[in-house]
Amino acid sequence: MIAVTGTRFRRTALTGAVLATVLGGGAILAACGTGGSDGSGTSGAASGGPARLSVADPYIPLPPAGGMAAGYLTVRNDGGQDQLVKVTSPGAESVTMHRSTPSSMEQVASLDVPAHGALQFARGGTHLMIMGWQKAPALGDELELDLTFAKSGTISVKVPVKELTYRPGQS
Ligand SMILES: [Cu+2]
């Protein structure tokens, strides 16, 4: 697992911002632990009302030799606070939520989706790890990911497999 991070996830200025946001939310306490049920930092008065979630820019960089892959997307929220608590796929055995640290990465049990904000997965920051593909992924394939949220239920997205160097905004 750790070997993958060094080559695949490049650290960017954005990473720092994303990590700071995640850490500031207070929802994630330790690797593989159970996050607090309500992020204290990001909810507060703004959390009234239901979350209104949508998923943007999902992609999976083509993994070398069909092995473990990363997945990225953005969960936008036009409503109250929510939490991503589980990700599964009918096409892969295991999907886990990870965040990168300066030297490694660690699995997290949940991720905060701030009220009127976004949960952003990005290279070098928070990411999904996808293992046990039923069929080796190829460019142009789509993998269904089912994102389960604490309050909003499950949202299914079709995530395209892109070139290893792909960035959102490129075609
Ligand atoms: Cu990872």
Side-chain angles (χ1 to χ4, degrees):
M1 305 281 281
I2 289 172
V4 174
T5 54
T7 52
R8 190 174 298 162
F9 305 116
R10 242 192 275 155
R11 301 193 67 75
T12 64
L14 179 62
T15 302
V18 169
L19 283 176
T21 301
V22 170
L23 293 170
I28 298 164
L29 303 177
C32 303
T34 54
S37 57
D38 286 305
S40 54
T42 51
S43 46
S47 68
R52 291 172 51 204
L53 306 180
S54 60
V55 175
D57 297 328
Y59 69 101
I60 295 169
L62 181 67
M68 180 167 53
Y72 305 100
L73 50 83
T74 298
V75 181
R76 295 193 179 128
N77 186 4
D78 296 321
Q81 186 268 345
D82 206 343
Q83 262 189 320
L84 178 61
V85 294
K86 190 173 70 168
V87 184
T88 59
S89 172
E93 252 167 50
S94 157
V95 183
T96 49
M97 297 175 270
H98 283 195
R99 70 175 169 187
S100 294
T101 67
S103 59
S104 178
M105 63 181 177
E106 56 196 19
Q107 187 172 338
V108 295
S110 64
L111 292 166
D112 198 42
V113 185
H116 300 282
L119 165 62
Q120 190 149 27
F121 291 78
R123 293 175 190 260
T126 306
H127 57 279
L128 300 171
M129 299 295 299
I130 304 161
M131 290 178 267
W133 295 75
Q134 288 182 358
K135 164 185 166 300
L139 275 185
D141 284 356
E142 286 187 329
L143 182 73
E144 178 183 325
L145 291 182
D146 301 320
L147 312 177
T148 300
F149 297 88
K151 298 174 184 167
S152 302
T154 300
I155 297 176
S156 294
V157 286
K158 299 281 192 194
V159 184
V161 176
K162 299 285 197 178
E163 299 81 12
L164 194 55
T165 55
Y166 173 84
R167 294 289 188 282
Q170 301 172 351
S171 55

